[in-house]
Each structure stands twice: as structure tokens, then as C-alpha cells.
Amino acid sequence: MMWNKKMLVSRRPLFASPTERTNRRRFALMFGLLWFKLIWFDVSWCAASTFRSFSMVETYLSATLVVLVLLLPLVVWRMERTTWVVAVLMDALLVCNLMYFRTYYTAIPPDSYLLVGNLKDFTDSVWGSLKATDALFPISTLVAALLRWRRRGQTSRLRHSTLVRRYVVATALSAAALLTLTWAKGGFRTAYESMQGSYTHTCVTPMYTVFGTFYYDCIRDAETFTPEVERQIEQWMAADRADRMMANADTLMPDSVVRRHGIIILAESLESWVLERTVEGQELTPQLNALLKDSLTIYAPHILSQVKGGRSIDAQLMINTGLLPIENGAYSLKYPHTTYPSLVRAMKEAYGAEAVRAYVLTGDKPMVWNQAVIEPVFGYDSLISKASFVNDEPVGPRYRPQIGDVSLMRQIADKIVRGEAWDARQHMLLQCVTYSGHFPFALPERLREVRFSGRFPERMRDYMATARYTDRAIGLFIDRLKAEGIYDSTLIIITGDHEGLGEMRRTWCESAGGRGIVSERPMVPLIILNAPRGMRIEAVGGQIDLYPTLLRLFGLKRYAWRGMGRSLTDPTRPPVAIDPHGRVYGLADSVSATALQRLKGAWPVSDAIIRYDYFGRRQQR
């Protein structure tokens, strides 16, 4: 009798698998745990975008089906330990995708999972993307483990075969319902892409889970170049060419004045609203403000940030090649060997390859965004990176300081004066990439020239102080060029590489201090110094318009590839820009529906050009 009682009460340790009977409560616990994780992920994702996906049946069906599939080892083979490992891995996967989404507004592309090593140079940004609510993922796992431990001695009279049958039925019904709904919408890809609109593009990941997005990206990457793709590209180009031919000539810029050299300064996360702005009696960008008053300065304050997953390297793509970012991921990582027409190649074609020298100067490592590979593809002769600079003025978090903008620009000026990155006998083009404006805008107290009251959000105070620091760096750099006699023969382009606020923008705009100061639109400034003629361009433009603008100012009008934008100095340019999600900024009412559709169509066409190496294929014919 005593022996039978012992047999009725399980003394197995925590997480041990039963040998004869399945614990129904254990299955319910694990199902509820994993389902909660997926739904909480959707809530966190939608909080930064839109909750529209919660009105879609796919959101609940996909979550249910994914959880049932993940529980397969537990139900069929009674592998409870494996299921707990899956729960922990889900925590990591979902939190990482949320962190990525808060910067790029998309899930992590498949190829980026293999590039986790790149994050060590952006540790501050990574931690800055975490939210307190993300802690619910590991906390839910701990709570479920505690409940499981408390029920460790309980058994169920439900036979294992019965549970398996019920599991198979539930999985089949969920899959059938989801497949039927998807089939009714034209199949998975059609259903997925139907949500890629201005206000619904963020809904697809909650609707189909991160696994669905991963699958979609994989099938996109597996596509091949077809005659239909080629026809779409050439139709877009033909329509754009016809539109340019009908437009009036760009008469705003004289052809007689062309500067011999050019310097492009990409200021990290610099937005337009800090320029010409005084806060609590303190001018945020006094150096740049003074340069704006010069009679030979072109200033366009309303340049829409159009970067996507590549961020800074996407800005380089648009400025150097006139192409738009790819749909998912970073082109420099996925398609580094694609043929790219570029500003540098236009200069070398016009003056001869031996008469032009082009350098990229950055405080980052060569491997960041794969710069060591992509810059030569653009035609640059050398990449002068982190190892070539002395970090004598560190900024950023203490555990990973980076060279400050003042020190970086001073050392770049030294290399120019010493001839290490400059030869006045040739045509020079330099691209300088700063760092200090990188999130989380950590500037040491000793380097701050402005300080603000507590009525402003803390990050906003840091951002304004950092903008002032970058302003000082650029001002000192320009003064040095003037003193050395380099300025007069050089066209200098200053612009923000991308917007810098992300989801903080809404919070800052609604705060007592930020209201009326922070722009609700993600605009970066474009300042061109020593231009043939000064002007202020108030119309909205896009970063894609910078390439044709520079072709015009450098006198490179004969270069075959004119880019996908239009010169900002062209009076016939449509005064609008399209963001990566299809939203229109500017005077949309003044542009025809056909023109707007062509501007929106530039995004998938550019993606195809890069993805399938369209220009490389043309050269091989």
C-alpha cells in the first residue's frame, strides 16, 4: 500500500520529463507563456507606431500557430528542458527586434543576424534603445518557472495520446484558418506587400510575427533578375528622362563658376531645427548661423531624411550615387559589389582618373557599415579611418569613447594642410563623417558650452549641447581652411546624415520645453558654402536631391547618370519629398498625381537597381 502511494505522487525534480503521463497544466503554462511574449511584443511594437494590427485576425492566428509549433518538442517528445530554452531564446529575439525597430522601424533583416559583432561600436545606442517594459519578457519567464516549480509534484490523468491528438487538431485548425485568410488576399507575399503603405507598413510584423517577416525577407533575397524587372526599371527611367527634358533649364546657377575642389561634411544626426535657434538666451549654432549670412551660401533647411536600415551609410548612398536605400537592411553589407555610378566617378570621367583624388575621413573603424569595401566601389581612392586619428578629446559613454568632432575636424584640417589628404594640383573631393551627434548624445561636461533648465527633457538638453559642440567643430574647420588659402577654391557641403530623434521626437514635441522648438518633421539642413551664387531654398527637398545638386554645382552635367532626384536649384523641381514609407512631405497639391506616383515608384526601382546590379549588367552588354 505504501509502495502504491509513492507511485501516485511524483518526486521528479524540476523540469524532468514524465515517463507515462503528460501534465496538462504544464502545456497550458508554456502555451500561455509563449503566447504572452508574442502579444506583449506586438503591444510594445505598436506603441511606437499604430495599433491597427490588433484589428487584424492574422495577428492572433499567427501568434497561436507559432506558439503551437514551438511547443512541438514538448508535446510529442516531452522535451520540457528544450521548451524552456526556447522561451529564453524568444526573450532575446523579441527584445532585439524591438530595439532595432525603435531606430529603423522594421524587423531585423536576415543577413543582419550574422553581423552582431558590429554592435560593439554602437553599444551606447544599443542600450539606449532598451525600455523598462522590455523587462517583462525575462520576468514572464521567471514567473512561469516559479509556477512550474510550485506544481512540480502534480500529475494529470490525461493520456499522452489524447494530448497529442488535441494538439494536432488545434495546430491544423490554426494553420488552415491562417492559410485560408492569406490565400483569400492573394497569397502570403501579396497580403504582406498590401500592408506596405504609409500608415500600415509597421503592421506586418505584428500580423505575421518576426518569423513571418524573416520569411518574407528571405524570399525577397532569393528573387532573380527577370525581363519584367528590367522593363519596370527602364520604364521608370524613360518617364523620368522625359520629365527632365520637358522641364526648363536650371538657370539659377551660372555655368562660369565651378570650384576646383569639394569637401562634404556629414554631421551625425544634425537636424535643421537647431539652426537659427536661440534657447534660453543661448544660440545653439552660432558658427553655422554666421555662415548662412554669407552672400555665397546656399541654405536648404527642409531636406527630408530618407535613410532606412543603413542610416549613415544610406546618406552616403544618396549623396554619392543618387540612389535610394534598399527596402531592407544595408546595401553596403548585402550588395557591396554592385556597380554604383557616383559623384567621384563623374569627376574622374570629366577630368581624367589621374587628375582627381577622393578620400573618406571618419573616426569609425573601416568595418563599420562595411566602409572599407563600399567606399572604393564609389570610386574613392582611400579611406582614412579611426587608426589614423588620435582620440585626444573623447566623447560618448565612458566605456567606449569616440573621437570628438572638434578634435576630428582639427586633425582632418592638419592632414589637408600637410598634404596627407590634399593635393591642390589635382581636383580633390573629401567626405568627412563626424560622430559626436550619435545617440545618446553623451558629451562630457567640460566640453559643453551651453546648459539648459530642467523644463527640457534630459536627452533634448544633451542633443542641443552636442549640436553646439558640432557647430564649434565645423566653425573652427572653416576658419582653418580660410587661413590656409584653401577655402576660395573649394565648394563645402554641410549636411546632417539623417534625423536623430527617432521615437523621441513625439515626446520632445509634446514636452513643455520642446513644444514650438523641436520640429515635428525629420528634416536635416543642407548648407553649401562658397557656391557660385547664394540663395535660400524653402521648398521641401529630399536627401536624394543632393546628388543632382552637386553634379550641377561641380559642372558635371554631362555625366550619364543624373540620379533619382532633381537639383534643388532647379526651379521646376517638384517641391515635395517621399519618405521610405511613402508619406509625402511638402506641397503635394502642387504636384500631379502622375509625378507623385513616379516619385513613390523610385523606391522599389532603386531597390531593384541595387539588388540586381542593373548598371553592371548594362556595362556587360
Side-chain angles (χ1 to χ4, degrees), residues 455-457 460 508-519:
R455 72 189 185 95
F456 300 99
M460 182 179 170
W508 292 10
C509 287
E510 294 174 354
S511 67
R515 189 179 300 111
I517 295 179
V518 180
S519 173

Side-chain angles (χ1 to χ4, degrees), residues 175-204:
L178 183 60
L179 290 173
T180 300
L181 189 59
T182 305
W183 175 81
K185 293 184 177 181
F188 174 74
R189 179 164 179 174
T190 301
Y192 193 99
E193 292 179 345
S194 68
M195 299 297 293
Q196 297 291 310
S198 301
Y199 301 101
T200 59
H201 64 95
T202 60
C203 296
V204 288

Side-chain angles (χ1 to χ4, degrees), residues 544-585:
I544 194 61
D545 297 320
L546 271 61
Y547 170 82
T549 301
L550 296 184
L551 283 181
R552 180 72 180 84
L553 295 177
F554 280 119
L556 304 172
K557 296 189 295 182
R558 295 189 177 183
Y559 192 57
W561 174 242
R562 308 303 300 167
M564 306 191 85
R566 294 278 291 275
S567 173
L568 293 164
T569 62
D570 184 346
T572 64
R573 180 187 66 85
V576 297
I578 312 295
D579 78 356
H581 311 302
R583 290 185 290 255
V584 181
Y585 290 76

Side-chain angles (χ1 to χ4, degrees), residues 454-472:
R455 72 189 185 95
F456 300 99
E458 181 181 3
R459 291 284 191 214
M460 182 179 170
R461 299 198 300 269
D462 294 339
Y463 181 84
M464 292 189 291
T466 301
R468 173 65 174 258
Y469 176 72
T470 297
D471 173 78
R472 178 168 175 263

